Amino acid sequence: MPDSPLNTGRKKLTVKERLREPHILAEMVKLSLNQSSASQKEFLQVLEGLAGAIRDMLENAGLIHAVEIDHRRMWAEVAGKPISFVDGGMANVTSLGTEPIAVRVGSYTVTPGNAGEDRETFNMEKQLVAELFDTSSSKGIFDDLFEDPSKLRDAARFCLETSAAVQCLERHPKPEFLFLHGALVNPVSAYADQYFPAFSQRGIDILLPPQERNRKGREATFVCVYLYMLEALARSGANVASVVERASASMLVSTTLLRDLNKFPVSPGATDLEAAVRRIRDFRIPDSLLFHAILNEGEYITPVAVDRNVESKRPQYSFDIIGLYPLPKVTYVGVGHFVQPLRVEFFDPPPAGYETCIRLVIHACRLMPNYAFPAGLDIVDKFAKVPNWMSRPINSTMAVQLLKNAIDNGNPRIIEAAKRMLCGTKRDWLFRPDFKG
Amino acid sequence: MTANNTWTPIGTVVGNATTSEFSFILKSFKSRVGDLVAVQMEVPDEARQGKQSIYVWGRVVTINRFNPFFPYEAAQELSNEGLSLQDTILSNSRDQLEAGVLILGCTAADGNFKNLYPLTYPVQPAAEVLYPPAKAIKELLAGGIPGHTPMRIGTLIARQDVDISISVDRVVARHMAILAMTGGGKTVAARRILRELIDLGYPLLILDPHGDYLGLWQKRELFQGSTVRLLYPHIAMTEQNRHIVEILINKMTEGLTEPQREVLSECLSEVDPEEGESVLRYIKRLRDTIARKASRVSDRRKLPTLSVCRRQLGVVENRLERMELTNERMRQRLRHLKFEQMPDPQGCPEAIISPRTISILYLGGYDHLTQTTIASILLEAIYEHRANLSNRIPPFLAVIEEAHTFIPSSREGASDVPSLETIRKLITEGRKFGTGLVLISQRPSRVDETILSQCNSFLILRLVNPRDQNFVKQIMENLSEQDARMLPGFGPGQGIISGQAVRFPLLARIRMDEDLIYTDLGDENFLKQAQDWKPDPHAPVRKRVAGKIQQLSRLPDRRPKGRGTAPKHENGDSTPPEGRDQSEQSRWDKVRKVFAMDTRAIGDLEAVTGLDWDQSRRREKVASYAKLPWKKLKAQGLSSHKRSRLLQLLEAAAAFSAHNQ
Ligand SMILES: Nc1ncnc2c1ncn2[C@@H]1O[C@H](COP(=O)(O)OP(=O)(O)OP(=O)(O)O)[C@@H](O)[C@H]1O
Ligand SMILES: [Mg+2]
């Protein structure tokens, strides 16, 4: 049985014990729901076996690390050091029909231990998606040509978040640590063919520094601009990390890790490791679940470099560019017994203070309900979020009125938005970062 | 739009907006509770063809402050670990202020705020909330009620640059209630209203139990052209108000039984009040009448009934006398004020109610019952003069302080308070006859609910008692929950004004008329009085005289034979017990002869004399005592006190029959 949250931190469990805990069982049941009960049982066996074996190897290879929870030490260590948090979200702004989809990116910089007026800085960028891209060549960004307008929004958000992070590092006080919400290096292949609109001049002006604003053609496309910004961020010298709290179906970290383990003396050999990788794939065991089974609270693994832009998916148009993308180094961090581990990503090589970053994440999580998410990112998330009222069910007379207007207006975009407003839940309003491995 | 440029944006509408309220996130400290704010909005015009720009006006009723970024769990972690928030990455700089607004209505946005309409579309989320300049708000408020005379009573709580006026017309004919706990500023507010009405020359009458308004007389030179009169009560008997005697008996004594009441009404019909006769004198005459009846009565069984009636009248007389005296003493303390006896409201109403006259009836010293009786007689009479349309007196406004005394709720168990029905009449017919009322109370929940709810305008100042708050919520339909929550937080003179006298409820700070403050009668300075206190120079005199009289009263009627004057002792207790006993014995021997053959009961003698002896022995025959010698009376279980009283009773009865023969 789980202990109360307060003393779980000190207790080490075996993989088997962890897998018997109700919250992780529930996760497994969810995953294996549409499998037969025989394969459900097998699923548990496989998970238990794999997790046990992997933990065994990691421990013996010195790849699992434990962080001691000690608030006093932690905060004393970063006292006087500015720390930034950056997060963005999609927003449907104010009234329908007047303003289309926008991206909002917020940043929060705080200096622990500073009691002065300048302890905290908040910044907010709000940018209309349509204005970022050059749509002169086509009739409109929401035409059939782009069957998935959400791609434009994602691309816009990746760039704006990264750009906000770069700008954050140029401000005073310059942060020593910078945390982003979402993947550090997103997969780009889906936004990189010749049909994908280039940035408008305005978009370029917003995203790039003056000496980089003369871009034309492919240079002005997302895949090039985003790369430039990632490189700038990686070069900055700050301790940059990103945090993802959501479960995803990705198995990229565990399969990469298994293959990497072959280089260590603990490896039983490539054949066996490949067999383990196959098991993971057969049973579709996601990273978050596997590492939940492997890691105790306060533990993390040595970061692993993963490639989200595999050659097979790269469009020809930008094949060479995508090859230049940095590989993020990814770790999982156990933050609490009851919640899935957080994924934390760094550039490769990881910055000098990456271990401090991980400890900060763990301590920041302890300031939050269920320890599920670090406090600073939570603050900037709330700050950048679509205001509360938009996510509440809207007054029905007004909504009906809106829908009627939208239909009269005939603009499918507005109709779509109006519908979303009528039935929308909070999450529909915010297209949260979602890892597409 | 024209004005909009000078209107400062102070926040953004958030959350669910309806046609009656909305919330907005306030830029820090740009507004306060009680402020009037506006939102500009486009709505379909009346023809539903085009759009029309309007201002939605609202009043800020709540402001909540919260740190949206502070997770509750963090508080626990911080305190467990002894951490300060500042040492962590938590934020404490982003307090948010969320203001709740009650919508008052909307006007056209073109700068003409005369007409305020109900809002039929909700305000738009994310709309900008504007802080109108004082000029715009003044225009909105000045819209007032078309054709009505405004009276300035103060400013908005949140904006002292904006005056608030209420409609005189609505106050004088449709009544107003001023409710607040003690010290809330009721009297100050009432004086403010009175001041304006005096300037308009409106006839005014104030029932003033505590002398709070006496200073108006002192400051009378401020009211050029008006007369301020201070009156003290005088209950004159008239043909119509004989029943007050019965009310007084019922209230001041343990009451009358059915047969006793019959006797009383018989007497009441026999004794006609004389012109301008006071109740007190009338009651004295009634008592004499009863005494006479008793002496003549054929059916002796009636005597106890008569006796009780007479005695109860005696009690009333006594108390009235005492209260008259107290009131007089209180007035004497205010020697520098000139009081006049209250003119007869029936025969001479214009001496009380007339244009440019403010009559203040000072009720200090009277108990509640008498105050209400006086009020009832006075108000009834002047109401009649208005209601019979004789036009002898103009319309008037009466201010009733301590309304819970004059119109108590039936829950207070005082249903037949004389003024209750009178005031009910005044308030229901006020609109027809111009008998306006301002009711003032510090215990609203003790005031009659139906009467109070006839008031069409309310000024509610600080109220702390939850029962009073609930009561106020009940009788004022349009008092919002948020406003009600504000009541205990008001400072002196701050409150909510709502009802027909204003266009919409407002948070007001009542203007205090500093020039009406008078220092020498306000709160009494008991500390100083105690320090300065010297024994009254007359006290020794009183003591000497009292001693003498007591001494004298102990003397036998006539000097017993062969005895000298009773020896004098300095302490006044001159007669030794046996000596007294002896003299009583001889008096008894003398008087008992008169009654030796008397067939009457003790109660009959009590009735004739108005004296009480012993209720339990009332039925016993007088003769059964009269036949006993003084010493034997002791054997009957009579204490020496009882014996003396019996002696007095018999002596009095003897004197009475001697007188009537
Ligand atoms: N409008 C005002 N502005 C400033 N001060 C005020 C105001 N109204 C009242 N006060 C202060 O409060 C005091 C009490 O006011 P007031 O005598 O009107 O109270 P009240 O409600 O009539 O009390 P009570 O029930 O005891 O008669 C005043 O002496 C004054 O100091
Ligand atoms: Mg008062």
Side-chain angles (χ1 to χ4, degrees):
Chain A
M1 287 304 294
D3 295 310
S4 79
L6 275 181
N7 34 27
T8 46
R10 276 92 213 168
K11 193 169 164 195
K12 293 261 188 286
L13 302 177
T14 64
V15 168
K16 193 167 171 151
E17 282 167 343
R18 265 195 298 282
L19 287 176
R20 294 296 176 272
E21 291 191 357
H23 50 278
I24 196 165
L25 273 173
E27 272 172 56
M28 288 187 307
V29 169
K30 245 192 295 180
L31 280 166
S32 55
L33 211 55
N34 37 18
Q35 297 173 4
S36 68
S37 62
S39 48
Q40 279 183 19
K41 206 173 142 208
E42 264 172 54
F43 182 89
L44 180 63
Q45 277 169 0
V46 170
L47 177 59
E48 198 175 313
L50 279 174
I54 296 172
R55 179 163 181 108
D56 205 2
M57 287 188 282
L58 291 173
E59 269 183 333
N60 285 294
L63 299 176
I64 286 192
H65 315 273
V67 168
E68 196 200 335
I69 309 281
D70 182 345
H71 275 294
R72 290 187 169 280
R73 218 186 88 202
M74 177 78 253
W75 301 118
E77 189 181 329
V78 293
K81 298 181 178 173
I83 304 174
S84 289
F85 301 88
V86 175
D87 190 14
M90 306 298 302
N92 191 317
V93 187
T94 56
S95 61
L96 295 160
T98 57
E99 275 184 284
I101 307 298
V103 177
R104 308 156 66 103
V105 179
S107 71
Y108 165 52
T109 301
V110 57
T111 310
N114 177 353
E117 287 281 298
D118 55 347
R119 180 180 184 271
E120 300 170 23
T121 353
F122 285 86
N123 278 289
M124 164 79 85
E125 299 289 339
K126 192 164 96 177
Q127 191 53 55
L128 300 182
V129 174
E131 288 182 4
L132 278 181
F133 292 98
D134 178 9
T135 53
S136 57
S137 57
S138 62
K139 283 185 18 220
I141 57 165
F142 292 98
D143 285 356
D144 287 349
L145 197 52
F146 303 96
E147 73 277 22
D148 190 1
S150 67
K151 277 190 182 173
L152 285 178
R153 299 179 202 143
D154 286 342
R157 186 169 55 75
F158 297 160
C159 288
L160 285 167
E161 278 178 5
T162 315
S163 138
V166 172
Q167 283 168 29
C168 219
L169 291 168
E170 284 160 3
R171 276 200 203 99
H172 181 79
K174 182 178 175 344
E176 289 197 25
F177 299 91
L178 187 144
F179 294 90
L180 288 130
H181 187 202
L184 187 58
V185 180
N186 285 283
V188 296
S189 299
Y191 319 96
D193 62 18
Q194 62 269 43
Y195 304 110
F196 200 80
F199 283 116
S200 63
Q201 188 58 48
R202 182 187 158 92
I204 297 281
D205 291 348
I206 287 168
L207 296 170
L208 296 174
Q211 71 275 16
E212 290 292 329
R213 289 181 187 162
N214 271 329
R215 291 173 175 243
K216 293 280 169 308
R218 200 177 73 160
E219 288 290 286
T221 58
F222 164 76
V223 71
C224 289
V225 170
Y226 186 42
L227 174 62
Y228 176 88
M229 290 192 298
L230 283 179
E231 284 173 337
L233 197 56
R235 276 196 312 268
S236 70
N239 296 294
V240 177
S242 79
V243 179
V244 180
E245 82 285 16
R246 318 191 107 211
S248 78
S250 168
M251 295 159 279
L252 188 59
V253 177
S254 56
T255 52
T256 311
L257 176 68
L258 277 171
R259 285 167 183 158
D260 286 359
L261 275 171
N262 201 24
K263 290 182 290 216
F264 289 83
V266 293
S267 166
T271 324
D272 283 344
L273 291 176
E274 275 312 312
V277 168
R278 270 201 307 282
R279 293 275 77 181
I280 291 175
R281 294 206 164 130
D282 290 347
F283 283 86
R284 299 204 185 86
I285 301 174
D287 287 343
S288 48
L289 179 59
L290 185 63
F291 286 106
H292 198 173
I294 290 172
L295 294 171
N296 273 308
E297 187 176 356
E299 287 180 343
Y300 66 95
I301 60 167
T302 305
V304 188
V306 299
D307 188 0
R308 294 196 180 105
N309 293 304
V310 287
E311 293 187 9
S312 57
K313 288 187 184 164
R314 297 179 197 165
Q316 207 47 48
Y317 178 68
S318 49
F319 191 93
D320 50 334
I321 304 283
I322 298 178
L324 300 175
Y325 265 72
L327 298 189
K329 285 209 123 180
V330 181
T331 178
Y332 271 89
V333 180
V335 285
H337 270 295
F338 306 104
V339 287
Q340 298 187 339
L342 293 181
R343 198 173 83 222
V344 180
E345 306 190 359
F346 303 97
F347 287 113
D348 190 11
Y354 89 90
E355 287 173 314
T356 313
C357 287
I358 292 172
R359 285 194 293 117
L360 267 174
V361 166
I362 291 174
H363 283 86
C365 282
R366 305 228 27 131
L367 297 174
M368 292 296 296
N370 308 321
Y371 311 152
F373 195 56
L377 280 176
D378 177 70
I379 289 170
V380 74
D381 171 83
K382 284 180 181 152
F383 174 66
K385 182 185 272 173
V386 177
N388 231 353
W389 57 265
M390 280 197 139
S391 49
R392 274 187 223 152
I394 189 155
N395 178 308
S396 57
T397 39
M398 184 172 170
V400 169
Q401 179 105 16
L402 280 172
L403 186 60
K404 192 180 160 296
N405 284 349
I407 291 167
D408 290 352
N409 186 299
N411 185 332
R413 176 163 51 90
I414 297 176
I415 295 172
E416 187 211 332
K419 278 191 204 149
R420 194 180 312 126
M421 206 155 178
L422 275 171
C423 60
T425 65
K426 197 162 168 181
R427 284 289 152 183
D428 291 333
W429 288 94
L430 300 162
F431 302 146
R432 307 295 309 177
D434 211 358
F435 175 52
K436 299 190 176 91
Chain B
M1 296 302 123
T2 50
N4 213 341
N5 307 331
T6 60
W7 296 31
T8 329
I10 54 163
T12 308
V13 176
V14 293
N16 260 352
T18 69
T19 52
S20 61
E21 55 190 2
F22 65 85
S23 306
F24 70 98
I25 296 292
L26 177 63
K27 287 184 192 165
S28 41
F29 309 114
K30 286 284 171 59
S31 173
R32 292 194 270 171
V33 168
D35 258 345
L36 296 183
V37 295
V39 172
Q40 192 173 15
M41 178 165 122
E42 306 271 309
V43 291
D45 63 13
E46 243 133 73
R48 293 186 187 276
Q49 274 153 5
K51 295 236 168 151
Q52 178 190 7
S53 183
I54 59 166
Y55 280 131
V56 178
W57 296 86
R59 181 160 56 83
V60 178
V61 287
T62 54
I63 296 184
N64 292 323
R65 184 173 183 173
F66 57 100
N67 179 349
F69 299 152
F70 187 73
Y72 171 74
E73 284 76 2
Q76 197 173 356
E77 189 80 9
L78 291 179
S79 66
N80 284 348
E81 302 285 330
L83 290 173
S84 108
L85 179 145
Q86 269 170 0
D87 291 334
T88 71
I89 51 170
L90 291 169
S91 165
N92 68 351
S93 67
R94 283 274 161 159
D95 282 5
Q96 269 191 17
L97 299 170
E98 184 171 340
V101 176
L102 269 184
I103 292 174
L104 305 167
C106 58
T107 62
D110 58 8
N112 174 6
F113 306 141
K114 277 226 169 57
N115 298 311
L116 190 73
Y117 304 101
L119 184 65
T120 46
Y121 291 85
V123 299
Q124 203 165 37
E128 206 168 52
V129 178
L130 303 169
Y131 191 65
K135 187 170 161 284
I137 293 193
K138 277 178 195 156
E139 272 166 38
L140 180 77
L141 297 182
I145 300 162
H148 282 206
T149 313
M151 74 164 119
R152 282 176 50 198
I153 62 156
T155 61
L156 283 181
I157 277 191
R159 298 186 67 159
Q160 317 234 342
D161 53 347
V162 179
D163 285 333
I164 294 178
S165 297
I166 64 177
S167 153
V168 173
D169 312 58
R170 288 286 154 83
V171 171
V172 298
R174 310 239 178 130
H175 321 294
M176 177 161 192
I178 303 178
L179 308 173
M181 66 181 288
T182 165
K186 300 181 293 296
T187 306
V188 169
R191 279 202 292 257
R192 177 87 279 280
I193 291 170
L194 288 169
R195 178 80 172 273
E196 293 277 320
L197 290 171
I198 292 172
D199 290 348
L200 292 169
Y202 204 78
L204 297 165
L205 170 65
I206 302 171
L207 302 188
D208 185 2
H210 295 311
D212 289 337
Y213 297 85
L214 301 181
L216 292 179
W217 186 83
Q218 277 200 311
K219 300 278 178 177
R220 63 196 180 283
E221 77 279 6
L222 292 173
F223 316 125
Q224 289 299 328
S226 288
T227 315
V228 181
R229 305 181 62 186
L230 299 183
L231 309 176
Y232 63 86
H234 173 76
I235 316 181
M237 287 302 300
T238 62
E239 285 297 325
Q240 287 79 30
N241 65 11
R242 289 185 219 204
H243 66 278
I244 65 163
V245 174
E246 207 168 338
I247 291 171
L248 291 172
I249 291 180
N250 281 337
K251 293 299 176 156
M252 290 182 179
T253 70
E254 59 270 36
L256 298 177
T257 62
E258 196 49 50
Q260 289 163 356
R261 199 167 315 138
E262 259 168 44
V263 169
L264 180 69
S265 36
E266 203 182 297
C267 296
L268 283 173
S269 59
E270 283 169 19
V271 183
D272 289 331
E274 291 163 8
E275 177 77 33
E277 182 177 24
S278 76
V279 187
L280 201 55
R281 184 152 173 274
Y282 181 75
I283 288 178
K284 276 193 194 354
R285 287 206 295 131
L286 270 184
R287 270 174 49 112
D288 290 349
T289 308
I290 293 176
R292 245 174 280 130
K293 259 188 193 307
S295 67
R296 280 197 303 261
V297 77
S298 46
D299 183 354
R300 298 203 165 266
R301 278 170 308 181
K302 271 197 174 164
L303 279 173
T305 317
L306 288 168
S307 150
V308 174
C309 280
R310 187 155 184 271
R311 193 176 50 220
Q312 308 290 58
L313 282 170
V315 172
V316 172
E317 186 186 318
N318 234 312
R319 288 184 60 176
L320 282 179
E321 227 158 20
R322 260 205 320 268
M323 288 186 284
E324 228 178 76
L325 203 67
T326 316
N327 180 269
E328 195 181 317
R329 287 224 190 90
M330 291 170 104
R331 278 182 277 125
Q332 271 164 10
R333 270 215 306 245
L334 309 166
R335 231 161 311 194
H336 45 297
L337 305 183
K338 196 173 133 272
F339 284 91
E340 315 161 41
Q341 177 179 301
M342 182 176 101
D344 171 16
Q346 192 141 39
C348 203
E350 49 281 298
I352 302 172
I353 303 293
S354 79
R356 285 173 305 282
T357 300
I358 164 167
S359 298
I360 303 167
L361 179 62
Y362 177 48
L363 292 167
Y366 286 92
D367 67 7
H368 287 176
L369 170 77
T370 316
Q371 288 183 357
T372 59
T373 311
I374 296 166
S376 168
I377 293 166
L378 168 61
L379 294 174
E380 185 84 40
I382 53 177
Y383 169 78
E384 278 307 321
H385 282 296
R386 285 299 303 160
N388 68 20
L389 305 175
S390 66
N391 236 1
R392 257 186 94 173
I393 52 169
F396 64 91
L397 180 82
V399 175
I400 302 183
E401 274 267 4
E402 309 278 327
H404 48 274
T405 304
F406 296 96
I407 41 171
S409 148
S410 55
R411 283 191 300 271
E412 297 296 303
S415 51
D416 48 350
V417 168
S419 49
L420 195 67
E421 290 315 310
T422 312
I423 294 179
R424 199 189 300 284
K425 238 183 327 196
L426 257 77
I427 207 159
T428 36
E429 306 291 334
R431 222 170 134 181
K432 252 194 298 190
F433 300 131
T435 53
L437 294 179
V438 172
L439 301 176
I440 300 177
S441 173
Q442 73 258 29
R443 288 312 309 273
S445 63
R446 294 199 181 152
V447 181
D448 184 273
E449 192 174 329
T450 52
I451 295 183
L452 198 56
S453 53
Q454 297 269 338
C455 289
N456 277 318
S457 300
F458 291 89
L459 172 61
I460 315 291
L461 306 150
R462 181 175 159 92
L463 267 186
V464 170
N465 183 305
R467 266 188 48 191
D468 290 336
Q469 290 175 22
N470 283 333
F471 181 81
V472 163
K473 260 186 268 177
Q474 274 168 28
I475 55 163
M476 292 170 62
E477 306 122 18
N478 58 354
L479 184 73
S480 72
E481 193 56 40
Q482 295 97 318
D483 285 338
R485 274 201 293 273
M486 229 175 305
L487 296 176
F490 286 133
Q494 297 182 333
I496 298 171
I497 175 149
S498 90
Q500 294 192 349
V502 282
R503 272 181 128 181
F504 41 76
L506 290 166
L507 290 195
R509 170 192 294 268
I510 305 301
R511 196 175 89 196
M512 177 144 106
D513 294 66
E514 306 275 350
D515 57 348
L516 290 186
I517 297 174
Y518 36 86
T519 42
D520 50 342
L521 6 120
D523 288 338
E524 296 205 41
N525 187 343
F526 290 118
L527 195 63
K528 180 143 176 25
Q529 277 184 30
Q531 277 164 357
D532 297 348
W533 192 82
K534 295 216 178 53
D536 173 356
H538 304 301
V541 182
R542 278 199 302 268
K543 199 173 161 194
R544 279 198 305 273
V545 173
K548 188 80 191 167
I549 290 169
Q550 277 165 27
Q551 194 184 6
L552 292 175
S553 65
R554 278 191 208 106
L555 292 176
D557 268 3
R558 283 177 208 152
R559 234 179 262 184
K561 264 182 208 151
R563 289 210 170 243
T565 326
K568 275 182 199 159
H569 290 267
E570 262 162 60
N571 62 6
D573 192 18
S574 55
T575 324
E578 318 90 83
R580 192 172 84 186
D581 208 44
Q582 270 179 19
S583 65
E584 280 182 335
Q585 188 178 340
S586 54
R587 277 161 61 201
W588 174 252
D589 286 340
K590 186 168 162 278
V591 79
R592 77 188 181 105
K593 288 185 199 117
V594 182
F595 294 95
M597 305 301 287
D598 203 308
T599 51
R600 285 181 290 177
I602 295 283
D604 297 339
L605 296 198
E606 287 183 332
V608 174
T609 58
L611 292 174
D612 276 334
W613 181 56
D614 186 338
Q615 209 161 357
S616 62
R617 296 175 194 256
R618 239 167 232 174
R619 290 167 181 278
E620 293 173 20
K621 290 272 178 264
V622 178
S624 66
Y625 289 93
K627 69 184 188 220
L628 299 173
W630 186 245
K631 293 250 158 63
K632 281 273 168 57
L633 286 177
K634 212 172 188 171
Q636 291 285 309
L638 298 178
S639 65
S640 68
H641 176 70
K642 266 267 148 70
R643 273 180 284 153
S644 307
R645 298 284 310 277
L646 180 64
L647 173 61
Q648 281 166 15
L649 178 68
L650 262 61
E651 281 176 346
F656 191 80
S657 28
H659 175 81
N660 281 300
Q661 273 155 16

